[in-house]
């Protein structure tokens, strides 16, 4: 997909359900100030309101919530569809490459394509994205290259070069860590008044990390322009989300911090787009952070080092295959006459070609340069590190002589 | 004596400790149903049940914080942190509770727990998965820090750590987990935390290493002995803190020369501490500067070039030659 | 108060409002298992229920919620009242001692006596308490001695000696840290099936620490027998709670973790006792953790090193004086004919005497022994520390010779 | 040249940096309305407003984590951690983001931020308020670590730290905040991070210290010079990492003897690293073992006895005598 068109997405109407109102009991700012009691506790209880659930397309690809069905142009639909196919093709190819010894351990995203593409769909180029490691789909849309992603997952530092014009942070392997950085970026953008927003994602396991709660709090207090997306894909490695939390769902996690939230069917691309659109708009209007729990499923392995048979049943995976985000969207597009069997095949072939072309570039670029490992440590390398670098380069020289 | 790799011998140690003492329980991310991402805790859930083999939520600081609390009630928790890079998340609870509770409660609440974690490079892992920061813990009063180097000592050392009345950081050289097998006696061997092991006696120079670095060190030793005719004395440190200063001092007092090998960063690393102690206690015997072969003070590089970052036999040999050449 | 009677508190009736039910939407365990969707999102929204507020005595000392007024014996009332007076007397005395140079920097608890005494009232001796530093009132009840508290706040290690028969953890200075330990203690007790429970407290500032969220989560998942008490006293040093959080209140913080909660008037000793009684019972019945936000006010300084005039208005403090927990309870007891002016004076004098007697013992005990600083580091001091200890003792010897 | 104490000169440095560069913002617990618990940030809220002087919620890890994010957008955050003991809470974000972002983004996102924090003993504080763990940061690749010793160098060093393109840990010796006043020039002085200062030249022995330990070191020096007739060379390290190895090596090569003073724990501390470097680069000049006068490997004791834990002039003098007596 040509990079310059990526960020010119269509304005989405109608808008998302009004989440700020529905959970307003939590996000209402204090009204009672001293000398009255800071917290009025004379009422017998505080009603907490409700969290909206959003699903627009059901698993059969039928519109289950017509009121929120976005009015997107056909070309836009196809762009979105294509992005999901490209994500899946890359995923599949990388798995093959890994099995053939041409790729390091990586985290497949199969099944999460709607969550991925939906969460960055409303972003402009100037906006920021701070993803976790399972974010190919979104990163491709944002302008990261196929070869770059292949490089970095195969242990080449060059994969971490951020493409020109892309504002995003490199994905983070440290669970939850990217959320604090993202919150800081949002606080920084707000202070620089350039009206940009930040999206960050993390998993159903990650939400157990204290730093995510701390980040919620900082974002809420600062009214920072950020959207937190929890991709609840059912598992943190082997740990089912039911054992990860004592609550029934994760969307409630932000409410106690004063951040409104919504639960979204993460395998429904339309719901993801509508929900994200509302949340991004809120952030851009200066109304502060929003939290979305996207309910999806990790159809593949945790990473290529993982064996899910140890901890989950095949029938569960089979069930979720029937909820595949791509199949669902495909049915919708076919029903709307936006897609034909031929078009599906054409797009599949094109995307496969694009991935293979990326692999070619990856193969050309895949030359590790051990000589640069000191180069980005500091703006100017301190004397003691210059010495260590020399020692290291001598070692490399010696090895080359030896070989 | 069955042959085992280190993953198996660690599993054996956990199993025998849990079997011998029902206060021992294990906890961490993916350690129960999944048996641990490196399968070190495999099969233990089935044997000892959910109450003693605990799959925790994904939060390292709380894993250590709650393990301390459990230890205070008289249990002996063995907490796994999935990779040593993520002990950073738990620094707070390690430094502020695990290391301190015996002292701050004036002996009332000792913390007989173990923090197990795989450390080090060499398995082509992603960012944050190859760190060696044992020096952080050596610099933290109240802890003990041990690192086995092979299947056999891993088993006894873990057994000793679990039975130790004080908190022990147990670093596992993940590059060694499945690297080779060796005979492991049926009965656990007595091993004292705080003692190093002289694995080869020699008279020309002392090589000090531990954990995963024992392999390149021994490989270098072979070459040095066979090809270069150097009579190397090799010490496996095993216990990083407390350190067996006497054994190191005795050796270097005899050989007069020393090379220390570790993969963690150099600045304020374990080698610096060893040098300081040799300086204090073997000064008059030192015939050459003690040499450090360590990781550099940079972030562990992406895995395509990790082999260049890590100390290797060639670098060790060079350092030995240089140290021997010093006059 | 004689130590052996402390833990024989009266069974409290009626019981607390049923919080588990009221916020049940959060604590309901998942019912849908694979192959159905793990999380049903087909309903338009999730109703969140409500958080009960509990106040039994209003600021005039009148019963505002007769349904929950606990039926306590007179002797019990007097014991509770006395404990609150003792806490305040100790506080006042220590402040004087600090100003006279006989005490280190410490954190006064004035205004929080009801929160303090209420939170540990339902505990048995075998139960555990893991407090923050502003917890005199509760610690005295639990069996810590006046002289011990004076010693530790004046920098004597002996103050950390835990009295015989007391199960508690020493208070923690590190904000939030004690909550993780407490959660672990609860997990340990549960495994040892001795049916004991844990209470831990922390401030409105502390709740921003990620470790508290992590602890909520661990406790909820493990169904650990613990009660989390947030003493919302309006400030974290200079930071008003309104700036500490984007939410209107703190009681909601635990709901997203599946832990039911309640807001309690923390200056109302009856509400505190009833709420804690319910929460402790829940824990003891194996129903898991509860979270209480106790709304109170720090009437005094953050610590003796603090100058609150920089960040808060006198009129605010004046207002809260009218809500003093002791005055309120006094009015109630007088109205009930359980207390007379003479009795008030007698108790005040007795408590003052008790504190002064404690100070005497403190003065006798206040001998720092520098020689023991190595002694509790390990069960057996490693050789290298024996050497350091010797070095240190030599230094002490030298100093003594020098003097 | 006005006379200032260190609290005032640090406040001046913050003020002049904020005035000169509007990207500089400060953040932390109680730093805005309250002006900081040590009043280092006093008056800055009134001058620079809420957007640049940010009272944060009580969460150290998020303070550092969000400061990194802010730095990535082009700001220059100066984050205060109220006491260095609570940098443990932020270890995760310090090690995993602050220290790494330049490198992991391949130069795209440098992190020009400063972490300011008061460290060390001597003010009769409660538990966790007297730690000196600068060695943790020296052992962490990607950071710079500096520690001023007096009002004058504190101002220039903080200025240099704020203007440095890389993340700097700035430890403030809290015992010195109000200990004395000295002349502080109106204009900030150029000072290079990575350079030590020879504060007294001498020929008999080199004394190396930094931060709060400069005062007992200089006191000891006075006695040594005046009463014991020892010609002491004194070095104020100022920059802990990178370290001015050359200056240290030059000095010790000249004097042949050395004592290093710091208050943090000994094991893997800064002194160990200095000894390792002297061993490497001044070996042939060393006439005696380098001596360490440091904190012990125990938890900082309760304040009634803290003076015994802390290195004092007498202990330094003893160490110098011992080192001079070595033959
Ligand atoms: C701080 C930290 N702890 C542990 C890990 C090891 N780890 C990698 S992925 C993972 C599970 C994450 O689960 P989740 O947040 O649900 O994301 P998902 O993998 O499902 O996308 C764990 C424990 C890590 N990378 N970082
Ligand atoms: C981890 C940590 N960070 C910072 C501090 C410094 N500090 C001590 S008390 C305090 C405020 C605590 O406020 P709150 O939790 O509301 O409790 P309160 O003092 O009001 O009882 C701070 C920031 C600390 N002790 N520990
Ligand atoms: Mg997941
Ligand atoms: Mg408070």
């Amino acid at each position: 997909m040509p990079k310059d068109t990526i960020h010119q997405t269509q304005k989405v109407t109608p808008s998302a359900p009004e989440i700020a109102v529905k959970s307003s009991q939590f996000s209402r700012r204090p009204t009672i100030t001293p000398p009255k009691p800071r917290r009025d506790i004379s009422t017998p209880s505080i009603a907490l309101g409700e969290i909206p659930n959003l699903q627009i397309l059901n698993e059969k690809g039928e519109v289950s919530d017509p009121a929120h069905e976005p009015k997107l142009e056909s070309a836009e639909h196809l762009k979105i569809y294509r992005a999901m196919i490209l994500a899946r093709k890359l995923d599949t190819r990388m798995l093959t490459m890994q099995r053939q010894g041409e790729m390091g351990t990586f985290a497949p995203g199969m099944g999460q394509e709607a969550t991925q593409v939906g969460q960055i769909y409303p972003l402009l180029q100037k906006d920021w994205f701070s993803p976790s490691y399972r974010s190919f789909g979104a990163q491709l849309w944002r302008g990261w290259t196929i070869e770059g992603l292949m490089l970095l997952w195969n242990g080449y530092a060059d994969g971490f070069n951020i493409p020109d014009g892309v504002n995003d942070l490199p994905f983070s392997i440290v669970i939850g860590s990217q959320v604090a950085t993202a919150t800081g970026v949002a606080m920084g953008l707000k202070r620089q008044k350039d009206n940009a927003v930040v999206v960050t994602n993390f998993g159903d396991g990650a939400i157990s990390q204290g730093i995510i709660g701390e980040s919620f709090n900082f974002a809420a207090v600062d009214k920072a322009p950020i959207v937190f997306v929890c991709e609840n894909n059912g598992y943190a490695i082997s740990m089912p989300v039911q054992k990860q939390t004592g609550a029934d769902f994760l969307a409630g996690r932000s409410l106690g911090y004063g951040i409104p939230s919504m639960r979204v069917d993460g395998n429904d691309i339309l719901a993801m787009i509508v929900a994200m659109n509302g949340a991004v708009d809120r952030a851009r209007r200066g109304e502060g952070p929003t939290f979305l729990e996207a309910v999806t499923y990790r159809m593949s392995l945790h990473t290529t080092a993982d064996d899910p048979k140890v901890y989950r049943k095949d029938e569960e995976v089979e069930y979720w295959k029937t909820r595949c985000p791509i199949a669902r969207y495909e049915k919708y597009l076919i029903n709307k006459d936006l897609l034909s069997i031929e078009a599906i095949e054409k797009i599949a072939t094109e995307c496969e070609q694009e991935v293979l072309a990326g692999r070619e570039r990856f193969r050309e670029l895949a030359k590790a340069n051990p000589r640069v490992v000191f180069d980005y440590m500091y703006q100017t390398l301190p004397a003691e590190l210059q010495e260590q670098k020399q020692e290291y380069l001598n070692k490399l020289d010696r090895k080359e002589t030896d070989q | 004596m069955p042959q085992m790799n280190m993953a198996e011998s660690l599993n054996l140690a956990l199993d025998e400790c849990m079997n011998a003492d029902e206060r021992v329980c294990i906890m961490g991310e993916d350690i129960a149903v999944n048996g641990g991402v490196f399968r070190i805790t495999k099969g233990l859930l089935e044997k000892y049940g959910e109450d003693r083999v605990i799959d925790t939520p994904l939060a390292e600081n709380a894993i250590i914080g709650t393990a301390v609390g459990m230890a205070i009630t008289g249990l002996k928790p063995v907490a796994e942190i999935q990779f040593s890079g993520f002990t950073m998340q738990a620094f707070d609870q390690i430094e502020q509770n695990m290391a301190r509770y015996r002292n701050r409660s004036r002996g009332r609440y000792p913390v007989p727990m173990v923090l197990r974690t795989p450390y080090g490079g060499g398995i082509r892992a992603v960012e944050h998965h190859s760190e060696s920061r044992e020096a952080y813990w050596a610099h933290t009063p109240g802890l003990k820090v041990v690192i086995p180097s092979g299947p056999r000592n891993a088993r006894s050392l873990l057994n000793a750590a679990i039975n130790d009345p004080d908190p022990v950081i147990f670093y596992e050289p993940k590059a060694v987990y499945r690297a080779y097998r060796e005979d492991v006696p049926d009965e656990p061997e007595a091993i004292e935390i705080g003692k190093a092991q002289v694995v080869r006696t020699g008279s020309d120079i002392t090589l000090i290493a531990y954990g995963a670095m024992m392999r390149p060190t021994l490989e270098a030793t072979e070459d040095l002995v066979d090809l270069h005719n150097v009579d190397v004395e090799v010490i496996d440190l095993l216990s990083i803190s407390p350190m067996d200063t006497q054994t190191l001092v005795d050796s270097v007092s005899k050989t007069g020369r020393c090379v220390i090998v570790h993969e963690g960063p150099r600045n304020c690393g374990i080698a610096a501490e060893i040098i300081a102690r040799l300086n204090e206690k073997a000064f008059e015997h030192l015939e050459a500067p003690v040499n450090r072969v360590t990781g550099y003070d940079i972030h562990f590089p992406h895995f395509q070039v990790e082999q260049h970052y890590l100390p290797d036999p060639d670098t060790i040999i060079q350092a030995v030659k240089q140290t021997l050449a010093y006059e």
Side-chain angles (χ1 to χ4, degrees), chain A residues 64-84:
Chain A
S64 56
D65 180 353
H68 289 114
E69 184 187 0
K71 314 217 176 330
L72 289 169
E73 287 161 19
S74 338
E76 210 62 22
H77 271 303
L78 292 180
K79 201 162 100 182
I80 295 163
Y81 174 75
R82 194 179 190 288
M84 290 166 70

Short mmCIF file of all heavy atoms in Angstrom, two decimals, chain A residues 64-84:
data_model
loop_
_atom_site.label_atom_id
_atom_site.label_comp_id
_atom_site.label_asym_id
_atom_site.label_seq_id
_atom_site.Cartn_x
_atom_site.Cartn_y
_atom_site.Cartn_z
N SER A 64 -25.10 -6.37 13.23
CA SER A 64 -25.94 -6.59 14.40
C SER A 64 -26.30 -5.27 15.09
O SER A 64 -27.17 -5.23 15.94
CB SER A 64 -25.24 -7.53 15.38
OG SER A 64 -23.96 -7.02 15.72
N ASP A 65 -25.61 -4.21 14.73
CA ASP A 65 -25.91 -2.90 15.34
C ASP A 65 -25.90 -1.84 14.23
O ASP A 65 -24.93 -1.10 14.06
CB ASP A 65 -24.85 -2.59 16.40
CG ASP A 65 -25.08 -1.25 17.10
OD1 ASP A 65 -25.98 -0.49 16.67
OD2 ASP A 65 -24.35 -0.95 18.06
N PRO A 66 -26.98 -1.77 13.46
CA PRO A 66 -27.01 -0.89 12.29
C PRO A 66 -26.78 0.58 12.67
O PRO A 66 -26.20 1.34 11.88
CB PRO A 66 -28.42 -1.08 11.72
CG PRO A 66 -29.02 -2.24 12.43
CD PRO A 66 -28.25 -2.46 13.68
N ALA A 67 -27.20 0.96 13.86
CA ALA A 67 -27.06 2.36 14.25
C ALA A 67 -25.61 2.81 14.22
O ALA A 67 -25.31 3.97 14.00
CB ALA A 67 -27.63 2.56 15.65
N HIS A 68 -24.70 1.88 14.45
CA HIS A 68 -23.30 2.27 14.51
C HIS A 68 -22.49 1.84 13.29
O HIS A 68 -21.29 2.07 13.24
CB HIS A 68 -22.65 1.73 15.79
CG HIS A 68 -23.13 2.43 17.01
ND1 HIS A 68 -23.88 1.81 17.98
CD2 HIS A 68 -23.00 3.73 17.40
CE1 HIS A 68 -24.19 2.69 18.92
NE2 HIS A 68 -23.67 3.86 18.59
N GLU A 69 -23.15 1.27 12.32
CA GLU A 69 -22.42 0.83 11.12
C GLU A 69 -21.78 2.04 10.44
O GLU A 69 -22.45 3.02 10.11
CB GLU A 69 -23.39 0.15 10.14
CG GLU A 69 -22.69 -0.42 8.91
CD GLU A 69 -23.67 -0.94 7.85
OE1 GLU A 69 -24.89 -0.86 8.08
OE2 GLU A 69 -23.18 -1.40 6.81
N PRO A 70 -20.46 2.03 10.27
CA PRO A 70 -19.81 3.21 9.69
C PRO A 70 -20.09 3.31 8.20
O PRO A 70 -20.19 2.31 7.50
CB PRO A 70 -18.32 2.95 9.94
CG PRO A 70 -18.20 1.49 10.05
CD PRO A 70 -19.50 0.97 10.60
N LYS A 71 -20.22 4.54 7.74
CA LYS A 71 -20.44 4.76 6.31
C LYS A 71 -19.09 5.02 5.65
O LYS A 71 -18.61 6.14 5.63
CB LYS A 71 -21.38 5.94 6.10
CG LYS A 71 -22.60 5.89 7.01
CD LYS A 71 -23.87 6.37 6.37
CE LYS A 71 -25.05 6.17 7.36
NZ LYS A 71 -24.89 5.01 8.29
N LEU A 72 -18.50 3.96 5.18
CA LEU A 72 -17.16 4.07 4.58
C LEU A 72 -17.26 3.92 3.07
O LEU A 72 -18.08 3.14 2.58
CB LEU A 72 -16.25 2.98 5.13
CG LEU A 72 -15.80 3.11 6.58
CD1 LEU A 72 -15.14 1.83 7.05
CD2 LEU A 72 -14.84 4.28 6.74
N GLU A 73 -16.44 4.64 2.34
CA GLU A 73 -16.41 4.47 0.89
C GLU A 73 -15.87 3.08 0.54
O GLU A 73 -15.10 2.49 1.29
CB GLU A 73 -15.49 5.53 0.26
CG GLU A 73 -16.11 6.91 0.27
CD GLU A 73 -15.04 7.98 0.10
OE1 GLU A 73 -13.93 7.65 -0.37
OE2 GLU A 73 -15.32 9.14 0.47
N SER A 74 -16.24 2.61 -0.65
CA SER A 74 -15.81 1.27 -1.06
C SER A 74 -14.29 1.16 -1.06
O SER A 74 -13.71 0.18 -0.58
CB SER A 74 -16.28 0.91 -2.46
OG SER A 74 -17.37 1.68 -2.84
N ALA A 75 -13.63 2.17 -1.58
CA ALA A 75 -12.18 2.10 -1.67
C ALA A 75 -11.56 1.96 -0.27
O ALA A 75 -10.58 1.24 -0.08
CB ALA A 75 -11.64 3.37 -2.34
N GLU A 76 -12.18 2.64 0.65
CA GLU A 76 -11.70 2.59 2.03
C GLU A 76 -11.87 1.17 2.58
O GLU A 76 -10.96 0.64 3.22
CB GLU A 76 -12.53 3.59 2.84
CG GLU A 76 -11.80 4.21 4.00
CD GLU A 76 -10.58 5.03 3.57
OE1 GLU A 76 -10.50 5.47 2.39
OE2 GLU A 76 -9.71 5.21 4.42
N HIS A 77 -13.02 0.61 2.33
CA HIS A 77 -13.25 -0.77 2.77
C HIS A 77 -12.17 -1.70 2.21
O HIS A 77 -11.64 -2.55 2.92
CB HIS A 77 -14.63 -1.26 2.28
CG HIS A 77 -15.74 -0.95 3.24
ND1 HIS A 77 -15.75 -1.37 4.54
CD2 HIS A 77 -16.89 -0.25 3.08
CE1 HIS A 77 -16.85 -0.97 5.15
NE2 HIS A 77 -17.57 -0.27 4.28
N LEU A 78 -11.88 -1.51 0.94
CA LEU A 78 -10.92 -2.42 0.33
C LEU A 78 -9.51 -2.22 0.90
O LEU A 78 -8.74 -3.17 1.04
CB LEU A 78 -10.93 -2.26 -1.20
CG LEU A 78 -12.25 -2.74 -1.83
CD1 LEU A 78 -12.23 -2.55 -3.34
CD2 LEU A 78 -12.52 -4.20 -1.47
N LYS A 79 -9.21 -0.97 1.19
CA LYS A 79 -7.90 -0.67 1.79
C LYS A 79 -7.76 -1.39 3.14
O LYS A 79 -6.72 -1.98 3.46
CB LYS A 79 -7.80 0.85 1.98
CG LYS A 79 -6.40 1.37 2.11
CD LYS A 79 -6.36 2.88 1.86
CE LYS A 79 -6.31 3.65 3.14
NZ LYS A 79 -6.31 5.12 2.95
N ILE A 80 -8.83 -1.31 3.90
CA ILE A 80 -8.83 -1.95 5.22
C ILE A 80 -8.73 -3.48 5.08
O ILE A 80 -7.91 -4.13 5.74
CB ILE A 80 -10.12 -1.58 5.98
CG1 ILE A 80 -10.13 -0.07 6.28
CG2 ILE A 80 -10.27 -2.39 7.26
CD1 ILE A 80 -11.49 0.49 6.64
N TYR A 81 -9.54 -3.99 4.19
CA TYR A 81 -9.52 -5.44 3.97
C TYR A 81 -8.13 -5.91 3.56
O TYR A 81 -7.58 -6.89 4.08
CB TYR A 81 -10.57 -5.81 2.90
CG TYR A 81 -10.53 -7.25 2.49
CD1 TYR A 81 -11.03 -8.25 3.32
CD2 TYR A 81 -9.96 -7.63 1.27
CE1 TYR A 81 -10.98 -9.58 2.95
CE2 TYR A 81 -9.89 -8.97 0.90
CZ TYR A 81 -10.40 -9.94 1.74
OH TYR A 81 -10.34 -11.25 1.39
N ARG A 82 -7.57 -5.16 2.62
CA ARG A 82 -6.25 -5.51 2.14
C ARG A 82 -5.20 -5.50 3.26
O ARG A 82 -4.31 -6.35 3.32
CB ARG A 82 -5.87 -4.51 1.04
CG ARG A 82 -4.68 -4.94 0.22
CD ARG A 82 -4.38 -3.90 -0.85
NE ARG A 82 -3.39 -4.41 -1.80
CZ ARG A 82 -2.12 -4.56 -1.51
NH1 ARG A 82 -1.66 -4.24 -0.32
NH2 ARG A 82 -1.29 -5.04 -2.42
N ALA A 83 -5.32 -4.53 4.12
CA ALA A 83 -4.36 -4.43 5.23
C ALA A 83 -4.45 -5.66 6.13
O ALA A 83 -3.44 -6.15 6.66
CB ALA A 83 -4.61 -3.15 6.02
N MET A 84 -5.66 -6.15 6.31
CA MET A 84 -5.82 -7.34 7.14
C MET A 84 -5.24 -8.57 6.44
O MET A 84 -4.60 -9.42 7.08
CB MET A 84 -7.31 -7.56 7.46
CG MET A 84 -7.87 -6.50 8.42
SD MET A 84 -9.69 -6.49 8.53
CE MET A 84 -10.00 -8.03 9.40
#
